[in-house]
């Protein structure tokens, strides 16, 4: 019998591997940060011993959820300006507040709240686009959460962050050099969007990403305004334009992709660009509804993103799954579209793959890192159970997530954060709100 550090047992085990079948009375053996083996409990307990066994009666174990597009620190602007169209919301409310408040200290504090919210909702990895990502990286490593942190690039100076493009790229390269060997942090370069970033900066971002072998993150085809602006400036729609300047590749994951022509969908598939579907943010800002069924049919890999909490207003991937499943059925007038297995696949394995982390996370498989979550099923809204995938997509709430493990370490233990002081994090957020409100 081989000794392992931990065995996790549950009534239902969903690995997101193979034919996606559910293992009843399943177990996962974990050694250090890595998954050693997966099977039924009788198989696993016949092969391995462990001093620590997490028992999962009336529970389900599945891979940690992945949020492929957010601006984590914007949790401090949650609910600051709602019920407005994107350009007005961005230019009159969000940018002036960021101009006033954004600092390393702001990011340091705000990221704690974002991580707490995401971890408690079963999100084990998130992909960010913001500034002061080096500060965020230090925080994530302390908390024990996985992050793909994109250092923002725009054409114009921004506070004391950058006076020129050189400054943005210096921050990005510093981030890469500081974190390229980290277990939890993947550094990334994030040119903001086609209306804030010109071709030179897009090309420079691609060159730097190729040189260091890191991912690229951008906003793409989010609004009709963006498409019209892109046509005006460059005579092309956003995807065709970025393809034209050589920016598109498997390295890129692009948020939104709402306004696409048939030809652009083909280009995204051909260039293997990953898409982050941010349906709740797109609905709330009235940006439109991305053509998810067409993207999936064309073979584009699509995952979920929440976008920042100022436009969503939460960081809840379970909510995105439920919303997407229903909206796309209604829009297509086809109830078979966006089925629950596809929704969980997008929220886990597809998410890892578009971030370039497919070898590391996104499913429960021997050799991958132990990023997994345990949800309790002993609740009225989860009773009775005929199909566990259906329950996760349509009924499960963040409060059902009991235990969360990232890289083999328990970060949420029976609903309680193990690496964050919840009361302290919330008190700090309220103190910032007092300051922001006063202005
Ligand atoms: Zn965004």
């Amino acid at each position: 019998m081989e000794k392992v550090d931990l065995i996790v047992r549950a009534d239902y085990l969903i690995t997101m591997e193979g034919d996606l079948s559910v293992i009843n009375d399943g177990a996962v053996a974990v050694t250090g940060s890595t998954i050693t083996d997966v099977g039924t409990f009788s198989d696993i307990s016949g092969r391995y011993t462990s001093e620590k066994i997490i028992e999962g009666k009336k529970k389900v174990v599945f891979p940690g959820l992945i949020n492929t597009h957010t601006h984590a620190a914007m949790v401090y602007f949650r609910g600051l300006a709602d019920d407005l169209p994107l350009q007005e919301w961005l230019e009159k409310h969000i940018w002036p507040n960021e101009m006033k408040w954004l600092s390393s200290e702001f990011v340091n504090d705000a990221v704690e709240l974002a991580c707490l919210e995401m971890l408690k909702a079963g999100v084990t990895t998130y992909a960010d686009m913001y500034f002061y990502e080096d500060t965020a990286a230090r925080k994530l490593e302390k908390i024990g959460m996985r992050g793909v942190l994109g250092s923002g690039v725009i054409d114009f100076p921004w506070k004391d962050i950058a006076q020129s493009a050189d400054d943005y790229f210096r921050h990005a390269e510093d981030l890469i050099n500081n974190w390229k060997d980290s277990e939890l942090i993947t550094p990334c370069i994030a040119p903001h969007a086609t209306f804030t970033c010109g071709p030179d900066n897009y090309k420079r971002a691609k060159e730097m990403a190729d040189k260091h072998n890191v991912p690229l993150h951008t906003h793409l085809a989010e609004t009709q305004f963006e498409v019209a602006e892109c046509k005006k400036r460059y005579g092309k729609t956003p995807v065709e334009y970025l393809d034209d300047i050589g920016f598109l590749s498997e390295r890129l994951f692009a948020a939104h992709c709402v306004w696409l022509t048939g030809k652009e969908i083909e280009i995204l598939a051909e260039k293997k660009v990953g898409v982050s579907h941010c349906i709740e943010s797109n609905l709330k800002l009235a940006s439109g509804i991305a053509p998810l069924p067409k993207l999936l049919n064309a073979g584009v890999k699509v995952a979920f993103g929440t976008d920042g909490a100022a436009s969503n207003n939460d960081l809840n991937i379970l909510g995105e799954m439920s919303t997407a499943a229903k909206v796309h059925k209604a829009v297509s007038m086809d109830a078979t579209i966006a089925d629950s297995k596809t929704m969980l696949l997008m929220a886990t394995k597809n998410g890892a793959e578009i971030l370039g982390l497919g070898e590391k996370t996104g499913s429960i498989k021997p050799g991958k890192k132990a990023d997994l979550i345990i949800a309790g099923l002993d609740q009225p809204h989860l009773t009775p159970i005929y199909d566990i995938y259906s329950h996760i997509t349509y009924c499960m709430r963040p409060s059902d997530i009991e235990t969360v493990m990232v890289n083999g370490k328990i970060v949420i233990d029976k609903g309680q954060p193990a690496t964050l002081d919840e009361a302290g994090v919330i008190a700090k957020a309220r103190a910032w709100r007092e300051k922001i409100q006063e202005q």
Side-chain angles (χ1 to χ4, degrees), residues 107 116 122 184 251 268 275 288 352 394 405 420 425 436:
V107 168
L116 181 60
L184 291 173
R251 202 178 280 299
L268 291 174
V275 170
Y394 295 112
M405 183 184 288
L420 280 161
V425 170
I436 292 167

Side-chain angles (χ1 to χ4, degrees), residues 234-275:
Y234 309 112
K236 286 199 167 72
T237 51
V239 175
E240 286 195 63
Y241 157 66
L242 287 185
D243 187 34
D244 216 45
I245 62 167
F247 186 71
L248 304 184
S249 77
E250 201 170 358
R251 202 178 280 299
L252 172 67
F253 57 100
H256 307 302
C257 296
V258 174
W259 296 99
L260 302 171
T261 62
K263 189 177 168 205
E264 287 183 303
I265 292 173
E266 278 173 35
I267 295 172
L268 291 174
E270 187 195 316
K271 292 290 158 75
K272 297 190 166 67
V273 173
V275 170

Side-chain angles (χ1 to χ4, degrees), residues 326-403:
K326 291 166 197 159
V327 167
H328 289 294
K329 284 171 173 63
V331 169
S332 317
M333 296 292 284
D334 180 353
T336 66
I337 294 277
D339 62 280
S340 56
K341 275 186 183 165
T342 304
M343 294 301 96
L344 193 58
L345 203 57
M346 283 171 60
T348 56
K349 207 165 178 232
N350 283 11
E353 286 173 1
I354 73 164
L355 302 182
L357 296 175
E359 300 286 307
K360 220 179 208 181
T361 187
S363 65
I364 300 179
K365 183 183 175 186
K368 281 199 182 186
K369 296 300 173 187
D371 292 359
L372 43 93
I373 55 185
I374 308 173
L377 298 168
D378 201 13
Q379 293 290 338
H381 63 274
L382 293 164
T383 307
I385 300 170
Y386 298 102
D387 178 343
I388 191 69
Y389 279 102
S390 157
H391 268 30
I392 293 171
T393 297
Y394 295 112
C395 315
M396 192 170 278
R397 303 166 184 171
S399 55
D400 298 320
I401 308 295
E402 294 179 353
T403 299

